Amino acid sequence: MSGPVSLADAPADLAGTGHSTLPCLEVGESREATVGAVRVRRALPRRGRRTVGAWCFADHMGPADVTENSGLDVGPHPHIGLQTVTWLVDGQVLHRDSLGSEQVIRPGQLNLMTSGLGVSHAEEATGHYRGVLEGIQMWIALPHGTRHGPAAFEHHTELPRADLSGRGNAATVLVGEFAGTRSPARHDTPLLGAELDLRAPVTIPLRSEWEYALVVLRGAVAAQGRPLLPGRLVYLGEGRGELRLDVREPTRVMLLGGEPFPEPILMWWNFVGRSRAEIDAAYASWSRQDDRFGRVASSLPLIPAEAPYWQRTAESR
Ligand code: MN
């Protein structure tokens, strides 16, 4: 799914990640933005919070009304250095990419695109779905070993579910392993993404050597006496073996975690890299439409590249 990330979200090349080696409970502010035709709340990245494990982007999207012919309406755009994770709570989206993939995404299905050195994709109306669209769009930063590799695409219609307490609480494991249940999805760093479907108070297992965050999608939940509202990133830090969640109504919450990402990343627009030169090269390739990002069979217009802010600053001098 698409960004784009701008300076309104976070400095592009801030050195620190805001990483905490101790347990904490930090409720972030989200920024309202528009992606395609839909309003989103950008929970990550934010100033002072760049990554949670390798997770580097999270947009809580909708709910919005869509029609057969008007949906998310994100035209073809490129990515480098990341995986896109699309997860719907309600509605449908049609994914098309430069690998030739064409896949309708439905609630409870994992849509996972790996950019490697370059891929492009579009998110469209399905041509048949009319109703509410709601979900979350996330990015995972690729490590050095695979970020220059080939692009790839996976779609998982069935994902494993873990029973959390026998009181109606369950988790769907998107990526990684949680509560003894493992997802078949590709991941290139030690990572977890799980959607918790909660009906009653619960204590969830965590790894003390990982950092974690929550994004509530629907409902109401509290931790350490603090209410957690939909669309905000709740950063939990490291050093927790478990977390108690006070569930007051049926709640769906995304649990993100992982080994703290060891490589400082640079994010601009739809690109995740390590240097301005890499971002400049990707911007130039998309601008001139060379072969790097391929072609997407979409009727939506291409999204024009946004010049890196450091290029604009140079031009204005
Ligand atoms: Mn995208």
Side-chain angles (χ1 to χ4, degrees), residues 66-73 92-94 96 102 104 124-130:
V66 302
T67 70
E68 298 90 328
N69 302 312
S70 170
L72 197 53
D73 293 350
Q92 296 181 10
V93 169
L94 177 62
R96 294 187 204 263
E102 181 177 322
V104 174
E124 308 178 12
T126 59
H128 53 80
Y129 177 78
R130 173 186 287 270

Side-chain angles (χ1 to χ4, degrees), residues 165-303:
S165 68
R167 301 172 67 190
N169 296 317
T172 304
V173 185
L174 282 65
V175 181
E177 184 179 0
F178 181 67
T181 301
R182 178 180 292 278
S183 164
R186 169 179 167 174
H187 57 104
D188 295 3
T189 54
L191 197 69
L192 170 68
E195 190 201 51
L196 312 181
D197 185 358
L198 304 177
R199 309 297 166 93
V202 66
T203 299
I204 58 170
L206 302 176
R207 295 173 184 236
S208 60
E209 71 277 21
W210 283 12
E211 60 180 344
Y212 289 92
L214 302 170
V215 182
V216 175
L217 302 176
R218 277 186 179 176
V221 67
Q224 296 174 202
R226 293 182 67 182
L228 311 180
L229 302 175
R232 295 178 173 213
L233 188 92
V234 180
Y235 182 66
L236 299 167
E238 270 183 62
R240 293 176 186 272
E242 60 184 32
L243 178 71
R244 179 76 176 171
L245 291 170
D246 299 315
V247 179
R248 293 158 182 185
E249 60 183 86
T251 296
R252 293 173 69 170
V253 52
M254 190 62 68
L255 171 66
L256 304 177
E259 197 171 278
F261 199 68
E263 305 168 39
I265 62 172
L266 192 159
M267 296 178 72
W268 173 256
W269 198 49
N270 291 299
F271 304 135
V272 174
R274 301 292 184 275
S275 69
R276 289 183 174 184
E278 288 177 12
I279 305 293
D280 287 341
Y283 167 65
S285 281
W286 185 251
S287 296
R288 65 176 176 250
Q289 284 292 299
D290 67 17
D291 294 336
R292 177 170 178 177
F293 295 107
R295 294 288 179 271
V296 184
S298 172
S299 58
L300 294 171
L302 295 182
I303 297 181

Side-chain angles (χ1 to χ4, degrees), residues 74-97:
V74 178
H77 61 279
H79 286 292
I80 67 169
L82 58 81
Q83 292 177 294
T84 60
V85 173
T86 305
W87 179 257
L88 297 182
V89 174
D90 207 350
Q92 296 181 10
V93 169
L94 177 62
H95 164 102
R96 294 187 204 263
D97 66 37

Side-chain angles (χ1 to χ4, degrees), residues 32-185:
E32 291 271 339
T34 301
V35 172
V38 172
R39 296 293 290 173
V40 302
R41 284 154 301 286
R42 180 148 307 149
L44 187 74
R46 306 300 307 139
R47 194 165 291 275
R49 173 74 43 225
R50 313 293 313 287
T51 50
V52 178
W55 299 98
C56 61
F57 178 93
D59 267 0
H60 183 219
M61 171 182 78
D65 287 322
V66 302
T67 70
E68 298 90 328
N69 302 312
S70 170
L72 197 53
D73 293 350
V74 178
H77 61 279
H79 286 292
I80 67 169
L82 58 81
Q83 292 177 294
T84 60
V85 173
T86 305
W87 179 257
L88 297 182
V89 174
D90 207 350
Q92 296 181 10
V93 169
L94 177 62
H95 164 102
R96 294 187 204 263
D97 66 37
S98 54
L99 297 165
S101 315
E102 181 177 322
Q103 177 69 55
V104 174
I105 310 166
R106 295 183 171 85
Q109 302 182 346
L110 174 67
N111 188 270
L112 179 67
M113 184 180 72
T114 302
S115 74
L117 195 55
V119 75
S120 55
H121 69 151
E123 281 91 22
E124 308 178 12
T126 59
H128 53 80
Y129 177 78
R130 173 186 287 270
V132 173
L133 179 64
E134 183 180 3
I136 187 166
Q137 319 163 354
M138 299 174 288
W139 297 350
I140 300 166
L142 289 172
H144 183 70
T146 56
R147 71 191 189 91
H148 299 297
F153 175 72
E154 293 176 20
H155 187 83
H156 298 272
T157 56
E158 299 283 339
L159 288 170
R161 272 173 80 82
D163 181 0
L164 292 180
S165 68
R167 301 172 67 190
N169 296 317
T172 304
V173 185
L174 282 65
V175 181
E177 184 179 0
F178 181 67
T181 301
R182 178 180 292 278
S183 164

